[in-house]
Amino acid sequence: MQWLAIAFGGAVGAMMRHLISLWSYPVFEGRFPLGTLIVNVTGAFLIGIVYVLIVERGLLGQEWRLLLMTGLFGALTTFSTFSLETLLLWHNGQPLTALAYIFISLVLCLAATAAAMAITMKYF
């Protein structure tokens, strides 16, 4: 049942991401990634709400965590998880670890994408 919750949430999240991208593309005609910005900010906001309701307050069962946080928000954006993890580090008294996580994530993800593009362009 847990896998179905994740799969269902993921399917809905992926469709939402696509629909938001389709809707937002004409606004800037591809000159600014508005759709990605919208899903990242929305996902970050919503994961904050759901985290409090499920983890902090226990108002929803753990199956909702899988459906919403892992499935829906995971497919909509992984930036929401990154945002939550960073804030939890900060709130748990690890501000330097949080800042390091931000810096390392940004640098390594950009480097990984650049490397993958360069390797793929060269060999394929």
Side-chain angles (χ1 to χ4, degrees):
M1 201 56 167
Q2 294 176 341
W3 292 105
L4 289 175
I6 295 168
F8 179 73
V12 172
M15 289 186 291
M16 287 174 58
R17 181 182 183 98
H18 181 66
L19 289 172
I20 291 168
S21 293
L22 288 176
W23 167 81
S24 65
Y25 185 83
V27 176
F28 287 100
E29 297 178 358
R31 294 185 311 269
F32 183 81
L34 180 63
T36 302
L37 180 63
I38 289 170
V39 297
N40 284 340
V41 172
T42 302
F45 180 78
L46 292 175
I47 204 169
I49 293 171
V50 171
Y51 176 81
V52 169
L53 294 176
I54 295 172
V55 177
E56 297 292 325
R57 303 281 191 259
L59 297 178
L60 298 171
Q62 288 300 314
E63 63 276 2
W64 286 99
R65 183 177 188 164
L66 295 173
L67 175 81
L68 297 172
M69 293 176 73
T70 304
L72 180 69
F73 303 149
L76 182 65
T77 172
T78 56
F79 199 78
S80 58
T81 302
F82 166 78
S83 300
L84 177 62
E85 290 169 343
T86 302
L87 286 174
L88 289 175
L89 285 169
W90 193 281
H91 289 301
N92 289 329
Q94 299 175 290
L96 293 178
T97 304
L99 292 173
Y101 182 48
I102 292 167
F103 178 77
I104 291 167
S105 295
L106 182 62
V107 170
L108 290 181
C109 288
L110 289 173
T113 302
M117 291 173 68
I119 290 167
T120 305
M121 293 292 281
K122 183 174 182 175
Y123 294 107
F124 293 98

